[in-house]
Amino acid sequence: MPVSLCGTWDMVSNVNFDGLMITLGIGVYTRKIALKLKHRKVIEKVGDVYVIKTLSTFRNYTVSFRVDEEFEEFTKGLDDRHCKSLVTWQGNKLVCAQEGEKKNRGWTHWVEDDKLHLEVYCEDQVCKQVFKRVA
Ligand code: 1AG
């Protein structure tokens, strides 16, 4: 049984977020603001539905899904694209594949050494984020 991802987590590191944003076509002014943000992840499970909130002083993004059930995702306030997304468990990692205009797009979450890890990838870019538990 993998360690639960649920809880409130604050960003401690964010590597290559700019490379990811460039690949997603985000403009230079938005990128400059976005690069300064410390994201907070609030991960909840309500019945069999996961809710992942990414919160910041600039923008918030919420996604909810059932594992193993494809859903339509609109990345509102991020790159504003539509994807067909599917989240699965691969061992102790929660893996999302986001099919759409952008190739090789998705993310992976896991807990290791009491930290929440997130890799967000698109095309040839990988952004690596680490969060510490605050609640
Ligand atoms: C995510 O987390 C969302 C977290 O997928 C952000 C990661 C990538 C964002 C992609 C592009 C950035 C586009 C615009 C930048 C503008 C604002 C940045 C605001 C960041 C806070 C919302 C994966 C998973 C569930 O946790 O979504």
Side-chain angles (χ1 to χ4, degrees):
M1 190 68 182
V3 182
S4 173
L5 305 182
C6 293
T8 300
W9 305 84
D10 279 357
M11 177 178 272
V12 293
S13 62
N14 189 7
V15 174
N16 196 37
F17 191 44
D18 207 35
L20 177 75
M21 288 193 291
I22 289 169
T23 293
L24 289 168
I26 307 303
V28 63
Y29 302 108
T30 302
R31 292 205 323 268
K32 282 204 187 304
I33 297 165
L35 273 181
K36 295 186 197 294
L37 302 172
K38 295 285 181 221
H39 307 185
R40 168 172 283 185
K41 290 284 177 194
V42 179
I43 304 182
E44 298 166 321
K45 205 178 167 206
V46 183
D48 58 353
V49 176
Y50 274 95
V51 181
I52 303 183
K53 295 177 188 158
T54 306
L55 307 175
S56 77
T57 53
F58 177 51
R59 284 179 196 165
N60 299 322
Y61 181 69
T62 299
V63 64
S64 54
F65 54 84
R66 288 185 175 83
V67 173
D68 294 326
E69 206 171 278
E70 192 174 74
F71 64 101
E72 303 281 336
E73 181 171 10
F74 177 55
T75 59
K76 186 177 164 60
L78 301 177
D79 62 323
D80 293 312
R81 284 192 175 87
H82 293 271
C83 308
K84 281 197 193 306
S85 301
L86 176 65
V87 181
T88 56
W89 282 107
Q90 298 189 15
N92 63 341
K93 295 187 174 181
L94 194 63
V95 176
C96 180
Q98 295 170 312
E99 255 190 63
E101 181 190 342
K102 288 288 174 181
K103 297 304 157 205
N104 188 40
R105 179 173 187 174
W107 51 259
T108 301
H109 266 301
W110 72 97
V111 172
E112 193 179 310
D113 299 332
D114 278 342
K115 299 281 198 300
L116 177 72
H117 291 253
L118 170 63
E119 280 179 0
V120 188
Y121 55 90
C122 181
E123 296 178 340
D124 62 343
Q125 296 297 307
V126 182
C127 168
K128 179 73 208 287
Q129 303 182 343
V130 180
F131 300 78
K132 68 170 192 293
R133 195 186 273 283
V134 292

